[in-house]
Structures are given as structure tokens and as C-alpha cells.
Amino acid sequence: MTSSEEKAKAKKEFEDVFPTLAEEFLTTIRSRSFPNECVEWLKKCIYHNVPGGKMNRGLSVIDTLEILKDGKVSSEELFKARVLGWCVEWLQAFFLVADDIMDASITRRGNPCWYKMKYFRQDPYYVDLLELFHEITLETEFGQLLDLVTAPEDDVDLNRFSMEKGIFPNSEVIGKIGTDIEDNKCSWCINQALLVATPEQRKLLDENYGKKNPENVSVIKEIYKQLDIEEKYKNYENESFIYLSELISQLDETFLKKEVFNSFMKKIYKRTK
């Protein structure tokens, strides 16, 4: 079996677990005597938002377990890893729904945007998992807060932007219609443009950034093109990959294998969806 066939098989086996988890959740809802309309609405919401992406986060849980155990994984361990992987995907779906609301996004994964689990309780690492999910939730919401307070749509001021605050979501590539320009977002692109723009270009950026009109957006995109922002990002991405690879190579494998990090980085490097 080729590497691509193995990946496809692993993904299919991971996907096959989702209906079981979804049905267990829906069974819990039914046991509370919710009207059938509510159950069907929740089912539609779950299937609309949770599956369908690249599932790198969830699949990385399984990859990490297999790496740490040198491939000697029992069927029970493998099933738990798939369940935990879906927990991560479920949490990510929640973040994406919240992100879409805050960004007033139009589509997600090719579909119109929408706007919500009990394994591991008997395991000794249950509390650790819980705390980790809470910590990641907190960090993510901090990021959302920074995203919003630096980009009030009714007060466009590019002077408040900086690379320390900037984020690079190449939205049109990673699966939703990009609205960073219209939404006055403190993105990596605008910060790079501000660093190298001529006085004339800076004036146009001030006059057109954060405006909903397609003509204003086109002006910003043309300046990005003039400043070769896309190529700058590709160089930045390559440099980051080299830097992170070097850090990973220096890890002490006494506690955690380097391949855990390499495996995940390979999934997101040069990502196009």
C-alpha cells in the first residue's frame, strides 16, 4: 500500500467514527424529551459544521499516538485516539462558527456559514484533557479579542496596526471568502504593506482600507500586488519552516518524539485549503 493510500485509509477510518459520536450526542438530547424538531436541528447543525475540513488536527492525534508507541497501538487505543481527534475537531468547529459570526463571513468550506460530548472520564488523564481544552479555548478567544479590538469597522486607523498584532489568514485559500480588507483586520498582509509602502501608496491604503465597496478593496489588492506581498509571504513561510525544523531537530526525545511535531508541520506547510 502506498503512502497516499495509507493516508486515505486512515482518514476514512477516522471519518467512520463521527456518525457514532454524533448519534450518541443526539441520543442524549432525545433522552431529555426534546421535540423532534430540536433534535433534527441539532443534527443538521452538527453535520454542517463539524466534518468536512482537512481534519489535520484530529488526524494528528492518531499520528501522535502511533509515533509515540512505534506503531504498536491496540484497537481500543486507536478508537480512543479517533474519539479524541473528533473532540478536537468538534472544538475547532465551535471556534470556526464563532469566528464566522464575528467576521460576518459568507462561506466556510464551500458552504454557507452557520453558528455546538463523554469519553475518557475514567482515565487518569481526563482532567488534563479538560484543562487543555479550556486553555486552548482561552488562548483562542484572546486571539479573537485582539482580532476585534484592533479592527473596529467604524474607526479605521492603520496607525494602530503592527506586526506584533498582525495575523496572516490567507482566507481565500484556506476555505472561506476573505473579508480582511473590508473588515479592517490587522492582518499580516496590511502590516507588510505598511512597512514598505511609498507615501502615495500609504495614502491610498488609508483611504481605501476597511471599506466595504469592491472598488476600495480592488485598490488595496492592487497595492498588495505592486508590493509583491504574496511572494513576501511565501518567503516568510519558507523561512518559518526552516526555523521550526531546526527547533524540532534540537528536541530531547526522552519525553516526546520529534516526529510528532514534524508530522503536524507537514500537514500545514504550504497548505492551500
Side-chain angles (χ1 to χ4, degrees), residues 26 38-50 114:
L26 294 173
C38 293
V39 177
E40 288 303 310
W41 185 91
L42 280 172
K43 182 177 181 179
K44 185 176 180 181
C45 179
I46 291 168
Y47 276 87
H48 184 94
N49 291 296
V50 183
W114 193 319

Side-chain angles (χ1 to χ4, degrees), residues 169-178 221 272:
N170 192 346
S171 303
E172 294 182 17
V173 175
I174 64 174
K176 67 172 185 175
I177 294 176
K221 289 184 176 180
T272 58

Side-chain angles (χ1 to χ4, degrees), residues 157-174:
D157 182 3
L158 300 185
N159 290 314
R160 65 162 61 96
F161 290 175
S162 69
M163 282 304 296
E164 286 73 24
K165 299 174 184 174
I167 304 164
F168 185 87
N170 192 346
S171 303
E172 294 182 17
V173 175
I174 64 174

